[in-house]
Amino acid sequence: MLATRLHRAPQSLLSIATRSVSQRFYAAAAGEEKLKKTALYDFHVEQGGKMVPFAGYSMPVQYKNMGQLASHLHTREKASIFDVSHMLQTRVVGKDRKKFFETLVVADLHQLPVGQGTLSLFTNEQGGIIDDTIIMQQDDCLYVVSNAACADSDLAHIRKHLADFQNKGGDVDLQVIDDHSLVAIQGPSAAAALQELVGKDLNDFGFMHGKFMDLAGIPCHVARSGYTGEDGFELSVPTPEVVDITKKLLAYPGVEMAGLGARDSLRLEAGLCLYGNDIDATTTPIEGGLTWTIPKSRRETGGFLGADKILAQIKDKSLIKRRRVGLIVQGAPAREGAEILDKEGNVIGNITSGCPSPCLKKNIAIGYVKSGFQKKGTELSVKVRNRVQDAVITKMPFVEAKYHK
């Protein structure tokens, strides 16, 4: 009944959402000549995946049996599998690994317990965000996952500072994990589906924690995290086994494959940033609404790139010129680049991401406005195809997160 109901959703909403993400993903790969393939490429094609260029890879944007809108709602109600093997996985090793990596990110890695992870940010000397990343504390290393589109620039950045640190006698090294694939299973049924493979209850496995576990007898790293606002897991699986593990997860009742289209609209409902759209090298963590990623200890000691500018903005709010906000938009959906206006018609910012929310049946957007306009309930306007439409600042996430505590 769920699939029938979803496939009968209004065609206008379905086509608008699918067209938006397809255009973005095709545009993201403009000029790329030869696309890479993940180990699941053939499996995606067999499953009816519509393959599009994204971050140098050929990736599924949606599947024949379930379009983007249906896939989005299915993830919220049951569970979906996403291939995220294009993401960059690395290990930072050596006795000075925490000291070194704290010069590049805003996290306090010395206080992060083994088995726990954190969302953090790579920053530059100007206080801008080079990339967002998940860092997991393991017994003998830091396990780091960062964005596919930033992989080459992230590696160059890390290696440049790594060489300087090593030349000064630091004991640290970087290892790219190229023999494991990454798969995410997200949604209310994710834990039940994964339990079938691990053979034990996962209720005591908290959000943003990671463990080494056997999945159907295969040693894997499992992190309880994701990019949808739902409960779920990211599985680092030996590449030769990833198709088999994916098939076993897919065999659980109600689990379906999902593509980049649903992943994008899910993360937007969850108020999560897409690097290159909602945050970039010109955006400070404070402007991007990510001050919470900088713990008290790092605010006191600094020591990361751009700390002077970033910490100054924390102390003196007059230095913050713009703010990332969530908006509900009337009329047509507001897309990336649309102007945000005050009630006098003055341009005060721009939309960075936007789509119709499948869950709320409203148009949602993320954007930046001049400081002073960020208060919840502030009435503004957005210019969409030369038409001025009403909008209002609203809190994020747009749809309440359901992370397992």
Side-chain angles (χ1 to χ4, degrees), residues 151-201:
D152 291 343
S153 57
D154 283 355
L155 287 173
H157 176 73
I158 295 169
R159 285 169 173 159
K160 172 189 172 184
H161 291 278
L162 178 66
D164 292 341
F165 194 88
Q166 290 172 330
N167 289 337
K168 294 175 183 176
D171 178 10
V172 64
D173 204 0
L174 179 73
Q175 301 171 349
V176 176
I177 303 173
D178 54 12
D179 58 354
H180 279 57
S181 296
L182 198 62
V183 174
I185 181 167
Q186 301 280 294
S189 300
L194 190 60
Q195 283 172 184
E196 292 289 303
L197 275 62
V198 300
K200 62 180 180 180
D201 186 89

Side-chain angles (χ1 to χ4, degrees), residues 106 126-127 284-286 291 294-317 319-320:
V106 301
Q126 294 73 43
T284 70
I286 319 307
T291 307
I294 310 172
K296 182 180 178 182
S297 57
R298 299 309 308 274
R299 299 183 195 190
E300 293 173 350
T301 62
F304 50 87
L305 295 174
D308 289 348
K309 179 173 182 178
I310 293 168
L311 298 182
Q313 286 187 338
I314 292 176
K315 293 176 182 176
D316 183 355
K317 289 183 172 51
L319 298 175
I320 309 169

Side-chain angles (χ1 to χ4, degrees), residues 345-377:
N346 302 305
V347 178
I348 58 167
N350 292 91
I351 299 296
T352 54
S353 292
C355 76
S357 164
C359 291
L360 300 179
K361 305 295 189 293
K362 299 176 181 178
N363 297 321
I364 59 174
I366 291 175
Y368 283 83
V369 296
K370 290 181 181 179
S371 290
F373 290 91
Q374 73 270 16
K375 185 178 179 181
K376 176 187 171 184

